[in-house]
Amino acid sequence: EELAALENNPKLTSLRLTEEDQEVMAQIGNNKGCMSLKGANPAHTGEPEADHWQLRPELVEAGRRWGIDPARDLACTHRAAA
């Protein structure tokens, strides 16, 4: 009910975000590279675990068809400041 009420709020229905506002929001919400990938992970070695397993050749091939490069797209690249 509260969410539906917001939809009819004149202040919100007339609100328009600038491209700059949208870019700022996109950067705030961008978490690419900031967490360990769940599932097939190029960094995983050893026995499969419940949410991590090795990146098998057939998964690499499927990713290639979709333009996914494991070294680029499936790696944790963000490090928190110490």
Side-chain angles (χ1 to χ4, degrees), residues 4-47:
L6 291 175
E7 184 178 354
N8 297 319
N9 183 320
K11 289 181 181 179
L12 295 178
T13 56
S14 63
L15 178 66
R16 298 292 178 258
L17 298 175
T18 66
E19 286 186 30
E20 182 180 351
D21 292 333
Q22 293 176 44
E23 179 61 31
V24 168
M25 291 175 72
Q27 288 301 316
I28 290 170
N30 183 0
N31 64 359
K32 181 178 180 180
C34 71
M35 65 183 75
S36 177
L37 177 70
K38 301 286 187 195
N41 191 318
H44 183 82
T45 58
E47 292 296 313

Side-chain angles (χ1 to χ4, degrees), residues 29-80:
N30 183 0
N31 64 359
K32 181 178 180 180
C34 71
M35 65 183 75
S36 177
L37 177 70
K38 301 286 187 195
N41 191 318
H44 183 82
T45 58
E47 292 296 313
E49 298 173 8
D51 59 356
H52 285 91
W53 53 86
Q54 291 180 328
L55 193 57
R56 299 184 312 271
E58 65 271 20
L59 298 174
V60 173
E61 175 57 24
R64 185 194 61 74
R65 290 193 310 266
W66 286 93
I68 298 170
D69 174 8
R72 180 192 67 215
D73 301 320
L74 305 180
C76 181
T77 57
H78 174 80
R79 300 287 180 237

